[in-house]
Amino acid sequence: MRQFAGVAASAGVAAGPWVRISPRAGPKGRRIDATEAEAEILRLEVAAAAAAEELDALAASVSADGHPDEGAIFGAQAAMARDPALTAMAADRVHDGHDAIGAIGAAGTDLADQLRALGDELLSARAADVEDVAGRIAGRLAGRTAAAPTLLEPAIVVATDLSPSVTAMLPRDRLLGLALEAGSPTAHAAILARAYSIPAVVGVAGLLAGLEDHLATPPEEGSGTAPGSGTLWIDGGAGEVVLDPDRPTAERLAALRREADQASRRALAEADLPVATRDGTTVSLLANIGTPAEADRAVALGAHGVGLFRTEFLFIERPQPPTEEEQLAAYRAVVDAFRPHPVTIRLLDVGGDKPIPYLAIPDEANPFLGVRALRLAPERPDLFVAQLRAAMRAAAPGRDGVAPTVKVMAPMVADAGDAELLLQLAARAQAELAAEGLPHGPVVLGVMLEIPGAVLVGDTYLGRLGFASLGTNDLLQYTLAVDRGNPALARYQDPMHPALLRLVHEAVQRSARAGAELSVCGEMAGDPVAALALVGLGIRHLSMASGSLAVVRRSIRSVDLATLEREATAALDEPSAAVIRRRFAGLAITA
Ligand code: PEP
Ligand code: MG
């Protein structure tokens, strides 16, 4: 038995034969002299254009295959291949004496390294896309056509990392699971795995070296595929990879697999059950998503809309901001998937700890307290107006003449001044669209309540908005002064803390008086015990990761509102999160 620990990327347990896939070595470049430079740059541009067309075709075929959102990934790669910044970087290297092949390879590696060096998970994940595009252009220059690794039998694929195009080209009916040494849950390989419901574990340290001695046959020269011996198990929910487990481990994993299969069958079967307490109070459950690719699964699991569409993902994917048209396509895809339910698009929440190279925000000593999210708007109103324009265009009536419900919310709003800023940006977007005669529809404007001060002065601005959504992840961070990413402070990270519950209570009172709908979209909403406290405090809209919908639905259906209200009132006077959690844990049926 060999065991490896990695990061959970796509839930589910898979077991079976495995193959190792290694990237084909890229074509080698050569040194050139100055007289060849012009011709090499021309070759480069022609190859980049051809690669972009190839990617457009791949985007179309993946979309036609019933996965329009995954197709969009290749659409974005086509845009990268067409991006003059990438070819300009490569042209600089041609002037330094590299031929087109060497130059595009070096430019792709440099750009990918720059993205990785930023230390941000999402940006690092995009590095694989840049390398993928550069490799494709180099392949064209060397006269290669893209070849997908094949799986002759159903198998789990083991690799250092997989480019999005290789992941998409793997035959889905034979791909049992993915185990990657590199990568992160936000890399495209992981996103595709989740979209296709294929169990995946990423970031598995030592995986390839650990399995090297277990290859059945050495890899064929140039094929990149080497079958392994023995049975590989992966638990995509726990991030575990095991080769030839001993009996107790195999039994544990097999039991987990039965449970996971049962849970996902049950989650789908229960997706249409009404979500109401036993005494009849309805609660709407919505999904948090980061990409259009997640929409279908959320709908299948019974989400009645999107309570939080984190749009950062669209911006982090690339060397420059997405165009309004690209955003429109993404928003429209989500809106169409959820009709007639509402979709809440959150304006860009970047800056501070999530730097984006093209935004060039100066380093800050306290990025969580710095120029992030809406605080960027005075400097870069163009970014926010483009988002609002795209959202308003996605809100135009469809072919059936029915307008969808599109909501737009601003993150990191501190007070009435920030709310006013949102209203002004929206007014500008609307006036521009009207002047240009572009079809658009009304959007409902709202704010995230994730700064304690913003909750306390909510009565000064909520009346001008349609809704507010409590971002309990940041609200807890700012209420207790605990960095949400610091594991050393884990004991403060339970949102059942009485200080947080008192703020939720305040928010419920103030939004009700203002007539603004209130929801919760922080992780707390997806916790089947904490969700009960929220319902007891008066919250009726909970937005969460799709995977939590089933368990929260079950929890709510198992209790009476009267009990929750009594417990919530008592909880406000308790001294600690632990005591409050115990109160509610006893009430929920989550199994
Ligand atoms: C939150 O802060 O609770 C939230 C939902 O936003 P994010 O986690 O994206 O900061
Ligand atoms: Mg937040």
Side-chain angles (χ1 to χ4, degrees):
M1 174 166 89
R2 298 225 49 167
Q3 262 175 308
F4 306 88
V7 181
S10 176
V13 178
W18 58 282
V19 296
R20 190 186 76 182
I21 291 183
S22 318
R24 290 204 302 171
K28 284 211 176 0
R30 63 181 175 88
R31 301 295 296 179
I32 57 166
D33 60 46
T35 57
E36 294 175 86
E38 210 172 307
E40 283 301 291
I41 290 174
L42 190 63
R43 252 166 45 80
L44 185 70
E45 287 170 354
V46 170
E53 269 174 35
E54 206 170 83
L55 284 160
D56 280 337
L58 186 56
S61 82
V62 172
S63 303
D65 203 17
H67 295 281
D69 305 330
E70 290 68 39
I73 292 174
F74 298 106
Q77 283 203 355
M80 279 184 198
R82 288 198 178 91
D83 185 359
L86 183 64
T87 29
M89 265 177 96
D92 283 347
R93 280 152 188 83
V94 171
H95 289 301
D96 290 343
H98 292 283
D99 72 346
I101 293 177
I104 189 67
T109 308
D110 288 354
L111 195 55
D113 286 349
Q114 279 172 24
L115 290 169
R116 289 196 180 99
L118 290 167
D120 180 274
E121 195 187 284
L122 282 169
L123 289 176
S124 301
R126 298 293 74 76
D129 284 300
V130 174
E131 285 170 337
D132 204 13
V133 171
R136 187 176 284 272
I137 298 172
R140 296 290 311 195
L141 284 161
R144 284 185 185 173
T145 48
T150 47
L151 293 180
L152 300 176
E153 301 290 339
I156 292 171
V157 164
V158 170
T160 307
D161 202 354
L162 282 186
S163 67
S165 47
V166 169
T167 312
M169 286 191 288
L170 287 168
R172 251 167 339 266
D173 51 340
R174 273 165 272 160
L175 180 60
L176 300 179
L178 275 181
L180 304 181
E181 182 157 317
S184 72
T186 45
H188 273 145
I191 292 169
L192 289 166
R194 282 196 294 274
Y196 298 140
S197 300
I198 292 166
V201 181
V202 298
V204 190
L207 179 67
L208 267 74
L211 293 179
E212 183 74 41
D213 294 343
H214 302 271
L215 289 173
T217 52
E220 280 168 39
E221 193 58 40
S223 88
T225 307
S229 62
T231 302
L232 196 69
W233 285 75
I234 65 172
D235 179 355
E240 190 179 3
V241 178
V242 189
L243 178 68
D244 291 333
D246 59 20
R247 201 153 154 192
T249 311
E251 279 168 5
R252 173 174 61 80
L253 287 166
L256 273 177
R257 179 155 68 163
R258 280 193 300 277
E259 265 171 40
D261 289 350
Q262 229 169 27
S264 58
R265 272 197 303 274
R266 188 166 163 187
L268 288 170
E270 292 179 353
D272 293 332
L273 287 180
V275 187
T277 56
R278 284 193 310 199
D279 45 358
T281 297
T282 300
V283 178
S284 68
L285 301 190
L286 303 100
N288 291 353
I289 62 170
T291 64
E294 293 164 61
D296 288 348
R297 183 161 173 261
V299 171
L301 289 168
H304 281 192
V306 173
L308 169 62
F309 180 177
R310 291 182 165 100
T311 58
E312 297 78 72
F313 203 87
L314 303 173
F315 285 72
I316 287 170
E317 214 166 316
R318 47 203 309 131
Q320 78 278 337
T323 62
E324 183 178 316
E325 297 301 324
E326 283 170 289
Q327 292 190 62
L328 173 60
Y331 302 159
R332 200 172 260 161
V334 176
V335 165
D336 286 344
F338 279 93
R339 269 170 200 277
H341 298 301
V343 169
T344 310
I345 297 166
R346 179 174 73 182
L347 297 176
L348 200 53
D349 184 7
V350 293
D353 67 319
K354 290 185 218 152
I356 286 196
Y358 54 79
L359 292 183
I361 299 165
D363 279 351
E364 296 175 306
N366 292 300
F368 275 127
L369 306 179
V371 183
R372 63 176 279 205
L374 190 70
R375 296 169 178 191
L376 272 171
E379 275 279 300
R380 295 295 309 268
D382 54 313
L383 290 173
F384 294 87
V385 170
Q387 285 205 284
L388 281 153
R389 285 173 54 113
M392 288 172 179
R393 290 174 65 189
R399 270 189 227 111
D400 55 2
V402 179
T405 304
V406 178
K407 301 175 165 190
V408 176
M409 68 179 168
M412 286 295 283
V413 163
D415 57 19
D418 284 346
E420 174 62 29
L421 177 60
L422 169 68
L423 291 165
Q424 280 172 9
L425 292 165
R428 182 170 141 192
Q430 207 274 331
E432 284 179 10
L433 291 172
E436 291 163 31
L438 283 170
H440 62 285
V443 296
V444 187
L445 293 174
V447 293
M448 290 211 49
L449 291 176
E450 48 189 349
I451 299 177
V455 174
L456 297 177
V457 296
D459 46 294
T460 64
Y461 60 86
L462 285 173
R464 303 180 66 197
L465 301 167
F467 73 102
S469 188
L470 282 156
T472 49
N473 308 337
D474 277 316
L475 191 59
L476 185 68
Q477 148 162 286
Y478 297 128
T479 301
L480 297 187
V482 281
D483 180 336
R484 61 192 264 187
N486 187 342
L489 299 173
R491 69 182 184 285
Y492 296 104
Q493 308 283 10
D494 190 340
M496 298 287 258
H497 195 284
L500 193 100
L501 296 192
R502 288 186 192 194
L503 281 167
V504 172
H505 176 68
E506 277 288 321
V508 169
Q509 309 297 314
R510 288 172 199 274
S511 56
R513 279 202 294 273
E517 186 182 283
L518 182 66
S519 59
V520 176
C521 63
E523 294 304 305
M524 184 180 186
D527 169 340
V529 176
L532 295 184
L534 292 172
V535 173
L537 288 168
I539 300 288
R540 298 290 177 265
H541 307 274
L542 298 169
S543 190
M544 63 201 72
S546 304
S548 302
L549 288 162
V551 67
V552 172
R553 181 185 299 111
R554 215 168 300 140
S555 177
I556 290 172
R557 285 169 55 85
S558 70
V559 290
D560 285 320
L561 180 68
T563 313
L564 298 184
E565 286 179 339
R566 195 186 60 235
E567 290 298 323
T569 306
L572 293 175
D573 293 323
E574 292 287 11
S576 73
V579 176
I580 298 174
R581 186 165 282 281
R582 272 199 297 278
R583 274 183 174 275
F584 284 93
L587 306 174
I589 296 177
T590 54

